[in-house]
Amino acid sequence: MAEKFLINGGKKLSGTISVNGAKNSALKILAALVLSNEKCTINNFPFIGDTLDALEILKNLGANYEIDKEKKVVVIDPSSINKSHLDALLVRRLRSSILFAGPMLVRFGEVQMSHPGGCVIGKRPIDMFLDGFEKLGAKIEFNDEGFKLKIKDKKLKGAKIFFSQITVTGTEEMMMTAVLSEGKTILQNCATEPEIAVLADYLNKCGAKIKGAGTSTIEIDGVEKISGSNFYVMPDRIEAGTFVIMGLITNSEIRIENCVPEHLGAVIPILESAGAKFEIGENYIITRPSKLKAISITTHEYPGFATDLQSPYTLLMTQVDGQCIVHESIFEGRLFFADQLVTMGANITMCDPHRIVINGPTKLIGKKLTSPDLRAGITMVLAGMIAKGSTTIENIFQIDRGYEKIEERLQNLGADIQRI
Ligand code: EPU
């Protein structure tokens, strides 16, 4: 029987919750390791569905690793990687499997993979990746399983790549692929998420020459070799933002620690303009019970309002006075979860796949819900925590993909949530 969450709503929370290492940083480092033959010790590693799948990909390629869950450490030895074919079933488990393509292409001169899977939140094409690989000198052959990339001459060659749309993993992929290419690569219209600068810092520590990561133009001078180094996974800004909204929505004072408040970009100022009260330190945020009003948002690339926090924000807006519009500008399939909030009693009207109108406040009633993807899934957990009665959430492997032992951490704050 698949696991479910059973939640009894209405509990006030108190205490401290610590933020774990960032999924969307750890995943990138795991792919970057394919560029090197030297061991890497990763500290503050989040043991979640997606990172375990990425470790499985590395193992399948021939890498060895040791894990210590207690200490949150993984030691990976990529020197035995000996396969240039990415397993189709593993690749289909997560979108970020595409990040292995560039480093594998550089390592073996070719790579075979299928179309990546991951959260169903929109079409999520990979055209900008393929375009970038071609510009760096790869040939693409489409086949039954997916596609094969092959280096046309002996080595990839530096190029100018302009991203027609801002892409986080696209920026990271081209940065990783270019570090061992010949000559200079210039990436323009890059994403500026903090995880990108952290990836560049790691690669530079290993011998790469990357300038400008974290800005919209990145310059990479190709080098001959990437060595190994240790890595500490930065705090997960999306987990931090989710917990901040959880404090506000339950009207509780909770301390969220081991986070970088600055990495939340527009989220804190927008919540403050809605009336939220916080105490903010260098690495913690304390939420204070606050009377909020509705404020419309548009999700935007960093430092704009993160699309990954749109679903908890939508839920928050069902609980406050007034009307607002939530405009999801990045993914065309990321608002459909709102239907399930409507079954609980929320007043939400969908205008088109990118826009909803929310009228609040509304009282929510516990229901049987199904987690459609990671971020909508955690939002359903929060919805269950404020609903009257009990809520059951199915498909919770989606939530486990990004949040480690979430029920235990919420129980510590006083939530009534069980995994059954
Ligand atoms: N896009 C294309 N073509 C491409 C690549 C992207 O059209 O070749 C489009 C996408 O469909 C989307 C937009 O460009 O409309 C931006 O997508 P982006 O490539 O930036 O998203 P991503 O890199 O696949 C990462 C995070 C997501 C997060 C987005 C946006 C990782 C592993 N994933 O995805 O995180 O929502 O950036 O910030 O870093 C999550 O953690 O739950 C999650 C989905």
Side-chain angles (χ1 to χ4, degrees), residues 308-323:
D308 292 342
L309 289 171
Q310 170 269 111
S311 54
Y313 185 83
T314 293
L315 174 67
L316 178 66
M317 288 298 106
T318 68
Q319 301 304 299
V320 308
D321 267 331
Q323 183 182 69

Side-chain angles (χ1 to χ4, degrees), residues 23-24 28 124-125 127-128 167-169 308 330 375:
K23 164 176 89 73
N24 288 346
K28 322 301 165 65
R124 308 191 84 182
D127 53 310
M128 288 191 277
T167 162
V168 177
T169 41
D308 292 342
I330 315 255
R375 307 302 176 189

Side-chain angles (χ1 to χ4, degrees), residues 274-306:
K277 303 228 170 3
F278 303 111
E279 181 186 321
I280 300 181
E282 209 178 308
N283 62 355
Y284 71 88
I285 301 172
I286 298 174
T287 59
R288 306 258 191 242
S290 319
K291 172 107 181 93
L292 270 71
K293 64 175 194 294
I295 296 274
S296 295
I297 58 154
T298 297
T299 60
H300 200 277
E301 294 84 8
Y302 188 81
F305 197 102

Side-chain angles (χ1 to χ4, degrees), residues 377-399:
I378 193 72
T379 299
M380 285 170 187
V381 170
L382 303 192
M385 284 164 64
I386 56 169
K388 190 168 174 339
S390 73
T391 294
T392 312
I393 304 175
E394 296 185 338
N395 239 8
I396 59 170
F397 79 92
Q398 290 280 8
I399 301 169

Side-chain angles (χ1 to χ4, degrees), residues 402-417:
Y403 298 87
E404 192 177 344
K405 293 187 183 157
I406 191 67
E407 72 282 17
E408 289 176 22
R409 294 157 77 202
L410 299 182
Q411 283 159 5
N412 286 341
L413 293 176
D416 182 348
I417 171 169

Side-chain angles (χ1 to χ4, degrees), residues 82-120:
N82 57 6
K83 233 171 105 179
S84 65
H85 189 136
L86 283 155
D87 181 85
L89 287 177
L90 289 171
V91 161
R92 286 188 199 123
R93 281 201 215 154
L94 72 166
R95 163 84 179 176
S96 64
S97 54
I98 183 78
L99 285 162
F100 285 91
M104 298 269 293
L105 175 67
V106 172
R107 190 177 178 113
F108 294 107
E110 62 174 48
V111 56
Q112 165 70 45
M113 78 175 282
S114 61
H115 196 91
C119 279
V120 184

Side-chain angles (χ1 to χ4, degrees), residues 133-146:
F133 290 135
E134 272 188 321
K135 289 216 166 78
L136 290 171
K139 197 170 91 192
I140 306 165
E141 285 166 19
F142 292 96
N143 48 37
D144 287 349
E145 195 187 306

